[in-house]
Amino acid sequence: NTRSNGNTANIFANFFGFNGVNEKLKLKDATQAFQGNLQIKHKNTAGIAILMGRMMNHQTLAYVRAAYEISKFEFSYSNLQFGTSPTEKISKNIGGIAVGPGIIRKLDDSPLGPVRVGIQYEVAHTPAKNIRSQSATKNGAMVGYKFKMFEHRVKARIYFLF
């Protein structure tokens, strides 16, 4: 944590678990023929971030945060029409970035100690990853499924300093 003339920079690590993305999709090929079902679950996320900001007054910090996060996703395939198995469950850790602005405001001290509240907006993105490939071809081409996450997040935060 460094601070100079009202500017601040922090590096921190975080872990948070949540039931995020829980999508259910119908898989189709280029001809729109049904290929199976897919359920995606966002299990948890861990990351490291840098936060750089400026004190707007003695109680308010405006900042920009950039993070590298690794998220665990579970992909459950069912009713697959082509390939070696009609069902399959795959867990993957996928890394990506999350960036966005935020604001933290100091409240009057509570019986629990100093309290800060904040709100943060961020966009999280992962590059496309090959999740599942068939061992056989269909019409002379390999069949596979790629995944790319793009999320908009709004986070409300409460900090208790002990």
Side-chain angles (χ1 to χ4, degrees), residues 12-112:
F12 60 94
N14 66 330
F15 173 83
F16 52 96
F18 62 91
N19 293 327
V21 175
N22 192 5
E23 292 286 329
K24 292 182 180 180
L25 307 169
K26 295 203 179 295
L27 302 174
K28 297 180 180 180
D29 65 12
T31 66
Q32 297 300 308
F34 177 76
Q35 295 296 306
N37 296 311
L38 170 61
Q39 181 174 7
I40 304 170
K41 291 184 181 177
H42 190 169
K43 303 299 270 184
N44 56 51
T45 298
I48 187 163
I50 185 166
L51 181 143
M52 296 187 329
R54 178 154 182 85
M55 294 299 298
M56 305 309 288
N57 57 45
H58 71 285
Q59 292 182 312
T60 307
L61 169 70
Y63 65 89
V64 175
R65 178 181 177 271
Y68 179 77
E69 299 177 342
I70 297 177
S71 298
K72 182 173 187 170
F73 291 92
E74 184 178 275
F75 301 88
S76 299
Y77 294 90
S78 61
N79 300 321
L80 292 173
Q81 304 297 304
F82 185 80
T84 56
S85 173
T87 62
E88 188 171 358
K89 188 180 280 190
I90 300 169
S91 288
K92 290 268 187 182
N93 291 321
I94 300 173
I97 59 169
V99 295
I103 194 162
I104 298 172
R105 180 149 176 94
K106 177 183 176 185
L107 300 180
D108 292 332
D109 290 345
S110 75
L112 298 173

Side-chain angles (χ1 to χ4, degrees), residues 114-125:
V115 177
R116 311 285 189 270
V117 295
I119 189 161
Q120 176 180 314
Y121 168 77
E122 66 186 15
V123 175
H125 176 266

